PDB file of all heavy atoms in Angstrom:
ATOM      1  N   ALA A   1       8.731  -6.825  14.919  1.00  0.00           N
ATOM      2  CA  ALA A   1       7.509  -6.991  14.200  1.00  0.00           C
ATOM      3  C   ALA A   1       7.731  -7.158  12.781  1.00  0.00           C
ATOM      4  O   ALA A   1       8.819  -6.927  12.292  1.00  0.00           O
ATOM      5  CB  ALA A   1       6.582  -5.756  14.479  1.00  0.00           C
ATOM      6  N   VAL A   2       6.701  -7.545  12.031  1.00  0.00           N
ATOM      7  CA  VAL A   2       6.689  -7.410  10.591  1.00  0.00           C
ATOM      8  C   VAL A   2       6.233  -6.034  10.223  1.00  0.00           C
ATOM      9  O   VAL A   2       5.155  -5.610  10.712  1.00  0.00           O
ATOM     10  CB  VAL A   2       5.747  -8.474   9.881  1.00  0.00           C
ATOM     11  CG1 VAL A   2       5.784  -8.308   8.390  1.00  0.00           C
ATOM     12  CG2 VAL A   2       6.272  -9.911  10.307  1.00  0.00           C
ATOM     13  N   TYR A   3       7.003  -5.351   9.504  1.00  0.00           N
ATOM     14  CA  TYR A   3       6.707  -4.013   9.116  1.00  0.00           C
ATOM     15  C   TYR A   3       6.157  -3.991   7.706  1.00  0.00           C
ATOM     16  O   TYR A   3       6.749  -4.508   6.765  1.00  0.00           O
ATOM     17  CB  TYR A   3       7.916  -3.095   9.154  1.00  0.00           C
ATOM     18  CG  TYR A   3       8.351  -2.719  10.584  1.00  0.00           C
ATOM     19  CD1 TYR A   3       8.820  -3.655  11.453  1.00  0.00           C
ATOM     20  CD2 TYR A   3       8.140  -1.378  11.039  1.00  0.00           C
ATOM     21  CE1 TYR A   3       9.096  -3.367  12.721  1.00  0.00           C
ATOM     22  CE2 TYR A   3       8.468  -1.076  12.257  1.00  0.00           C
ATOM     23  CZ  TYR A   3       8.973  -2.026  13.198  1.00  0.00           C
ATOM     24  OH  TYR A   3       9.317  -1.700  14.492  1.00  0.00           O
ATOM     25  N   TYR A   4       5.025  -3.292   7.532  1.00  0.00           N
ATOM     26  CA  TYR A   4       4.249  -3.271   6.287  1.00  0.00           C
ATOM     27  C   TYR A   4       4.191  -1.883   5.715  1.00  0.00           C
ATOM     28  O   TYR A   4       3.848  -0.930   6.401  1.00  0.00           O
ATOM     29  CB  TYR A   4       2.856  -3.765   6.406  1.00  0.00           C
ATOM     30  CG  TYR A   4       2.753  -5.303   6.811  1.00  0.00           C
ATOM     31  CD1 TYR A   4       2.671  -5.588   8.160  1.00  0.00           C
ATOM     32  CD2 TYR A   4       2.706  -6.274   5.818  1.00  0.00           C
ATOM     33  CE1 TYR A   4       2.519  -6.905   8.489  1.00  0.00           C
ATOM     34  CE2 TYR A   4       2.597  -7.594   6.216  1.00  0.00           C
ATOM     35  CZ  TYR A   4       2.572  -7.931   7.501  1.00  0.00           C
ATOM     36  OH  TYR A   4       2.379  -9.178   7.934  1.00  0.00           O
ATOM     37  N   CYS A   5       4.457  -1.705   4.453  1.00  0.00           N
ATOM     38  CA  CYS A   5       4.308  -0.479   3.691  1.00  0.00           C
ATOM     39  C   CYS A   5       2.938  -0.378   3.185  1.00  0.00           C
ATOM     40  O   CYS A   5       2.299  -1.307   2.782  1.00  0.00           O
ATOM     41  CB  CYS A   5       5.235  -0.385   2.524  1.00  0.00           C
ATOM     42  SG  CYS A   5       5.182   1.123   1.549  1.00  0.00           S
ATOM     43  N   ASN A   6       2.335   0.890   3.249  1.00  0.00           N
ATOM     44  CA  ASN A   6       0.940   1.097   2.814  1.00  0.00           C
ATOM     45  C   ASN A   6       0.979   2.391   1.989  1.00  0.00           C
ATOM     46  O   ASN A   6       1.653   3.330   2.346  1.00  0.00           O
ATOM     47  CB  ASN A   6       0.122   1.236   4.063  1.00  0.00           C
ATOM     48  CG  ASN A   6      -1.372   1.582   3.650  1.00  0.00           C
ATOM     49  OD1 ASN A   6      -1.837   2.755   3.593  1.00  0.00           O
ATOM     50  ND2 ASN A   6      -2.134   0.473   3.235  1.00  0.00           N
ATOM     51  N   ALA A   7       0.165   2.412   1.019  1.00  0.00           N
ATOM     52  CA  ALA A   7      -0.034   3.715   0.190  1.00  0.00           C
ATOM     53  C   ALA A   7      -1.428   3.860  -0.306  1.00  0.00           C
ATOM     54  O   ALA A   7      -2.158   2.956  -0.692  1.00  0.00           O
ATOM     55  CB  ALA A   7       0.989   3.520  -1.044  1.00  0.00           C
ATOM     56  N   ASP A   8      -1.783   5.076  -0.254  1.00  0.00           N
ATOM     57  CA  ASP A   8      -3.008   5.517  -0.893  1.00  0.00           C
ATOM     58  C   ASP A   8      -2.681   6.020  -2.314  1.00  0.00           C
ATOM     59  O   ASP A   8      -1.944   6.970  -2.436  1.00  0.00           O
ATOM     60  CB  ASP A   8      -3.708   6.705  -0.145  1.00  0.00           C
ATOM     61  CG  ASP A   8      -4.321   6.186   1.137  1.00  0.00           C
ATOM     62  OD1 ASP A   8      -4.782   5.082   1.177  1.00  0.00           O
ATOM     63  OD2 ASP A   8      -4.394   6.978   2.118  1.00  0.00           O
ATOM     64  N   VAL A   9      -3.223   5.405  -3.340  1.00  0.00           N
ATOM     65  CA  VAL A   9      -2.755   5.608  -4.660  1.00  0.00           C
ATOM     66  C   VAL A   9      -3.969   6.055  -5.653  1.00  0.00           C
ATOM     67  O   VAL A   9      -5.043   5.525  -5.620  1.00  0.00           O
ATOM     68  CB  VAL A   9      -2.213   4.269  -5.291  1.00  0.00           C
ATOM     69  CG1 VAL A   9      -1.794   4.482  -6.780  1.00  0.00           C
ATOM     70  CG2 VAL A   9      -1.041   3.860  -4.403  1.00  0.00           C
ATOM     71  N   GLN A  10      -3.645   7.020  -6.412  1.00  0.00           N
ATOM     72  CA  GLN A  10      -4.547   7.459  -7.497  1.00  0.00           C
ATOM     73  C   GLN A  10      -4.042   6.696  -8.705  1.00  0.00           C
ATOM     74  O   GLN A  10      -2.883   6.831  -9.105  1.00  0.00           O
ATOM     75  CB  GLN A  10      -4.539   8.936  -7.768  1.00  0.00           C
ATOM     76  CG  GLN A  10      -5.493   9.305  -8.862  1.00  0.00           C
ATOM     77  CD  GLN A  10      -5.338  10.832  -9.251  1.00  0.00           C
ATOM     78  OE1 GLN A  10      -4.388  11.451  -9.047  1.00  0.00           O
ATOM     79  NE2 GLN A  10      -6.434  11.327  -9.813  1.00  0.00           N
ATOM     80  N   LEU A  11      -4.909   5.899  -9.245  1.00  0.00           N
ATOM     81  CA  LEU A  11      -4.537   4.978 -10.378  1.00  0.00           C
ATOM     82  C   LEU A  11      -4.499   5.862 -11.710  1.00  0.00           C
ATOM     83  O   LEU A  11      -4.850   6.998 -11.659  1.00  0.00           O
ATOM     84  CB  LEU A  11      -5.530   3.892 -10.590  1.00  0.00           C
ATOM     85  CG  LEU A  11      -5.737   3.011  -9.290  1.00  0.00           C
ATOM     86  CD1 LEU A  11      -6.771   1.921  -9.525  1.00  0.00           C
ATOM     87  CD2 LEU A  11      -4.380   2.351  -8.879  1.00  0.00           C
ATOM     88  N   ASP A  12      -4.046   5.169 -12.727  1.00  0.00           N
ATOM     89  CA  ASP A  12      -3.931   5.993 -14.023  1.00  0.00           C
ATOM     90  C   ASP A  12      -5.247   6.396 -14.600  1.00  0.00           C
ATOM     91  O   ASP A  12      -5.288   7.189 -15.594  1.00  0.00           O
ATOM     92  CB  ASP A  12      -3.048   5.196 -15.103  1.00  0.00           C
ATOM     93  CG  ASP A  12      -3.616   3.783 -15.309  1.00  0.00           C
ATOM     94  OD1 ASP A  12      -4.678   3.452 -14.758  1.00  0.00           O
ATOM     95  OD2 ASP A  12      -2.904   3.010 -15.968  1.00  0.00           O
ATOM     96  N   ILE A  13      -6.248   5.879 -14.061  1.00  0.00           N
ATOM     97  CA  ILE A  13      -7.689   6.377 -14.294  1.00  0.00           C
ATOM     98  C   ILE A  13      -7.911   7.484 -13.298  1.00  0.00           C
ATOM     99  O   ILE A  13      -7.995   7.222 -12.100  1.00  0.00           O
ATOM    100  CB  ILE A  13      -8.811   5.358 -14.209  1.00  0.00           C
ATOM    101  CG1 ILE A  13      -8.502   4.146 -15.167  1.00  0.00           C
ATOM    102  CG2 ILE A  13     -10.113   5.920 -14.417  1.00  0.00           C
ATOM    103  CD1 ILE A  13      -9.393   2.959 -15.045  1.00  0.00           C
ATOM    104  N   PRO A  14      -7.968   8.734 -13.747  1.00  0.00           N
ATOM    105  CA  PRO A  14      -7.898   9.889 -12.835  1.00  0.00           C
ATOM    106  C   PRO A  14      -8.814   9.832 -11.661  1.00  0.00           C
ATOM    107  O   PRO A  14      -8.430  10.340 -10.530  1.00  0.00           O
ATOM    108  CB  PRO A  14      -8.237  11.091 -13.796  1.00  0.00           C
ATOM    109  CG  PRO A  14      -7.775  10.651 -15.082  1.00  0.00           C
ATOM    110  CD  PRO A  14      -8.105   9.218 -15.209  1.00  0.00           C
ATOM    111  N   THR A  15     -10.008   9.317 -11.747  1.00  0.00           N
ATOM    112  CA  THR A  15     -10.970   9.386 -10.624  1.00  0.00           C
ATOM    113  C   THR A  15     -10.927   8.072  -9.837  1.00  0.00           C
ATOM    114  O   THR A  15     -11.683   7.934  -8.848  1.00  0.00           O
ATOM    115  CB  THR A  15     -12.396   9.515 -11.123  1.00  0.00           C
ATOM    116  OG1 THR A  15     -12.664   8.401 -12.062  1.00  0.00           O
ATOM    117  CG2 THR A  15     -12.600  10.808 -11.962  1.00  0.00           C
ATOM    118  N   MET A  16     -10.004   7.196 -10.088  1.00  0.00           N
ATOM    119  CA  MET A  16      -9.840   5.964  -9.339  1.00  0.00           C
ATOM    120  C   MET A  16      -8.811   6.048  -8.336  1.00  0.00           C
ATOM    121  O   MET A  16      -7.615   6.401  -8.542  1.00  0.00           O
ATOM    122  CB  MET A  16      -9.569   4.795 -10.244  1.00  0.00           C
ATOM    123  CG  MET A  16     -10.711   4.529 -11.227  1.00  0.00           C
ATOM    124  SD  MET A  16     -12.118   3.785 -10.421  1.00  0.00           S
ATOM    125  CE  MET A  16     -11.496   2.198  -9.982  1.00  0.00           C
ATOM    126  N   PHE A  17      -9.200   5.662  -7.074  1.00  0.00           N
ATOM    127  CA  PHE A  17      -8.192   5.636  -5.928  1.00  0.00           C
ATOM    128  C   PHE A  17      -8.291   4.281  -5.277  1.00  0.00           C
ATOM    129  O   PHE A  17      -9.359   3.608  -5.259  1.00  0.00           O
ATOM    130  CB  PHE A  17      -8.485   6.651  -4.912  1.00  0.00           C
ATOM    131  CG  PHE A  17      -8.327   8.062  -5.410  1.00  0.00           C
ATOM    132  CD1 PHE A  17      -9.271   8.720  -6.189  1.00  0.00           C
ATOM    133  CD2 PHE A  17      -7.172   8.729  -5.119  1.00  0.00           C
ATOM    134  CE1 PHE A  17      -9.118  10.010  -6.620  1.00  0.00           C
ATOM    135  CE2 PHE A  17      -6.914  10.032  -5.618  1.00  0.00           C
ATOM    136  CZ  PHE A  17      -7.914  10.653  -6.334  1.00  0.00           C
ATOM    137  N   ASP A  18      -7.197   3.730  -4.703  1.00  0.00           N
ATOM    138  CA  ASP A  18      -7.212   2.531  -4.034  1.00  0.00           C
ATOM    139  C   ASP A  18      -6.009   2.598  -2.946  1.00  0.00           C
ATOM    140  O   ASP A  18      -5.191   3.469  -2.951  1.00  0.00           O
ATOM    141  CB  ASP A  18      -7.030   1.389  -4.919  1.00  0.00           C
ATOM    142  CG  ASP A  18      -7.697   0.108  -4.426  1.00  0.00           C
ATOM    143  OD1 ASP A  18      -8.020   0.097  -3.186  1.00  0.00           O
ATOM    144  OD2 ASP A  18      -7.875  -0.841  -5.192  1.00  0.00           O
ATOM    145  N   ASN A  19      -6.109   1.642  -2.123  1.00  0.00           N
ATOM    146  CA  ASN A  19      -5.106   1.447  -1.057  1.00  0.00           C
ATOM    147  C   ASN A  19      -4.426   0.079  -1.190  1.00  0.00           C
ATOM    148  O   ASN A  19      -4.979  -0.909  -1.417  1.00  0.00           O
ATOM    149  CB  ASN A  19      -5.783   1.562   0.363  1.00  0.00           C
ATOM    150  CG  ASN A  19      -4.788   1.505   1.487  1.00  0.00           C
ATOM    151  OD1 ASN A  19      -4.558   0.379   1.994  1.00  0.00           O
ATOM    152  ND2 ASN A  19      -4.291   2.627   1.856  1.00  0.00           N
ATOM    153  N   PHE A  20      -3.046   0.094  -1.040  1.00  0.00           N
ATOM    154  CA  PHE A  20      -2.259  -1.083  -1.215  1.00  0.00           C
ATOM    155  C   PHE A  20      -1.353  -1.305  -0.094  1.00  0.00           C
ATOM    156  O   PHE A  20      -0.865  -0.364   0.639  1.00  0.00           O
ATOM    157  CB  PHE A  20      -1.472  -0.905  -2.478  1.00  0.00           C
ATOM    158  CG  PHE A  20      -2.300  -0.768  -3.806  1.00  0.00           C
ATOM    159  CD1 PHE A  20      -2.762   0.406  -4.201  1.00  0.00           C
ATOM    160  CD2 PHE A  20      -2.701  -1.904  -4.489  1.00  0.00           C
ATOM    161  CE1 PHE A  20      -3.550   0.565  -5.373  1.00  0.00           C
ATOM    162  CE2 PHE A  20      -3.528  -1.791  -5.668  1.00  0.00           C
ATOM    163  CZ  PHE A  20      -3.888  -0.588  -6.004  1.00  0.00           C
ATOM    164  N   TRP A  21      -1.017  -2.613   0.036  1.00  0.00           N
ATOM    165  CA  TRP A  21      -0.079  -3.035   1.071  1.00  0.00           C
ATOM    166  C   TRP A  21       1.109  -3.785   0.484  1.00  0.00           C
ATOM    167  O   TRP A  21       0.912  -4.568  -0.555  1.00  0.00           O
ATOM    168  CB  TRP A  21      -0.783  -3.992   2.041  1.00  0.00           C
ATOM    169  CG  TRP A  21      -1.801  -3.309   2.878  1.00  0.00           C
ATOM    170  CD1 TRP A  21      -3.181  -3.197   2.671  1.00  0.00           C
ATOM    171  CD2 TRP A  21      -1.550  -2.694   4.209  1.00  0.00           C
ATOM    172  NE1 TRP A  21      -3.765  -2.543   3.675  1.00  0.00           N
ATOM    173  CE2 TRP A  21      -2.849  -2.223   4.597  1.00  0.00           C
ATOM    174  CE3 TRP A  21      -0.446  -2.506   4.969  1.00  0.00           C
ATOM    175  CZ2 TRP A  21      -2.976  -1.566   5.803  1.00  0.00           C
ATOM    176  CZ3 TRP A  21      -0.556  -1.845   6.184  1.00  0.00           C
ATOM    177  CH2 TRP A  21      -1.867  -1.383   6.595  1.00  0.00           C
ATOM    178  N   GLY A  22       2.234  -3.678   1.105  1.00  0.00           N
ATOM    179  CA  GLY A  22       3.391  -4.460   0.717  1.00  0.00           C
ATOM    180  C   GLY A  22       3.303  -5.806   1.407  1.00  0.00           C
ATOM    181  O   GLY A  22       2.413  -6.027   2.200  1.00  0.00           O
ATOM    182  N   GLN A  23       4.269  -6.662   1.098  1.00  0.00           N
ATOM    183  CA  GLN A  23       4.267  -8.044   1.642  1.00  0.00           C
ATOM    184  C   GLN A  23       4.810  -8.135   3.052  1.00  0.00           C
ATOM    185  O   GLN A  23       4.657  -9.126   3.753  1.00  0.00           O
ATOM    186  CB  GLN A  23       5.053  -8.946   0.774  1.00  0.00           C
ATOM    187  CG  GLN A  23       6.607  -8.945   0.918  1.00  0.00           C
ATOM    188  CD  GLN A  23       7.283  -7.671   0.417  1.00  0.00           C
ATOM    189  OE1 GLN A  23       6.600  -6.857  -0.299  1.00  0.00           O
ATOM    190  NE2 GLN A  23       8.539  -7.482   0.757  1.00  0.00           N
ATOM    191  N   GLY A  24       5.430  -7.024   3.569  1.00  0.00           N
ATOM    192  CA  GLY A  24       6.056  -6.955   4.801  1.00  0.00           C
ATOM    193  C   GLY A  24       7.484  -7.352   4.901  1.00  0.00           C
ATOM    194  O   GLY A  24       7.935  -8.195   4.038  1.00  0.00           O
ATOM    195  N   THR A  25       8.168  -6.846   5.775  1.00  0.00           N
ATOM    196  CA  THR A  25       9.554  -7.153   6.025  1.00  0.00           C
ATOM    197  C   THR A  25       9.819  -7.367   7.600  1.00  0.00           C
ATOM    198  O   THR A  25       9.319  -6.517   8.381  1.00  0.00           O
ATOM    199  CB  THR A  25      10.572  -6.104   5.415  1.00  0.00           C
ATOM    200  OG1 THR A  25      11.912  -6.571   5.616  1.00  0.00           O
ATOM    201  CG2 THR A  25      10.358  -4.744   6.120  1.00  0.00           C
ATOM    202  N   GLN A  26      10.567  -8.393   7.967  1.00  0.00           N
ATOM    203  CA  GLN A  26      10.706  -8.678   9.328  1.00  0.00           C
ATOM    204  C   GLN A  26      11.820  -7.838   9.987  1.00  0.00           C
ATOM    205  O   GLN A  26      12.888  -7.793   9.388  1.00  0.00           O
ATOM    206  CB  GLN A  26      11.076 -10.161   9.487  1.00  0.00           C
ATOM    207  CG  GLN A  26      11.301 -10.550  10.889  1.00  0.00           C
ATOM    208  CD  GLN A  26      10.145 -10.553  11.781  1.00  0.00           C
ATOM    209  OE1 GLN A  26       9.072 -11.173  11.374  1.00  0.00           O
ATOM    210  NE2 GLN A  26      10.180  -9.982  12.998  1.00  0.00           N
ATOM    211  N   VAL A  27      11.498  -7.149  11.085  1.00  0.00           N
ATOM    212  CA  VAL A  27      12.505  -6.519  11.873  1.00  0.00           C
ATOM    213  C   VAL A  27      12.580  -7.213  13.227  1.00  0.00           C
ATOM    214  O   VAL A  27      11.619  -7.367  13.944  1.00  0.00           O
ATOM    215  CB  VAL A  27      12.157  -5.072  12.138  1.00  0.00           C
ATOM    216  CG1 VAL A  27      13.095  -4.409  13.147  1.00  0.00           C
ATOM    217  CG2 VAL A  27      12.149  -4.386  10.810  1.00  0.00           C
ATOM    218  N   THR A  28      13.751  -7.683  13.581  1.00  0.00           N
ATOM    219  CA  THR A  28      13.944  -8.348  14.855  1.00  0.00           C
ATOM    220  C   THR A  28      15.044  -7.669  15.660  1.00  0.00           C
ATOM    221  O   THR A  28      16.132  -7.468  15.140  1.00  0.00           O
ATOM    222  CB  THR A  28      14.294  -9.818  14.704  1.00  0.00           C
ATOM    223  OG1 THR A  28      13.361 -10.519  13.951  1.00  0.00           O
ATOM    224  CG2 THR A  28      14.508 -10.578  15.979  1.00  0.00           C
TER     225      THR A  28
END
């Protein structure tokens, strides 16, 4: 599959949060 990294991040603005994805890496 293509494996994707994901993270729940608190941004440098203390009250701001967001979720991010990597571009993916292929595992065969």
Side-chain angles (χ1 to χ4, degrees):
V2 177
Y3 284 69
Y4 296 92
C5 180
N6 179 264
D8 289 328
V9 178
Q10 182 185 24
L11 304 177
D12 54 8
I13 302 173
T15 58
M16 294 289 293
F17 294 84
D18 210 343
N19 183 267
F20 296 89
W21 292 92
Q23 82 288 348
T25 185
Q26 177 71 49
V27 171
T28 302

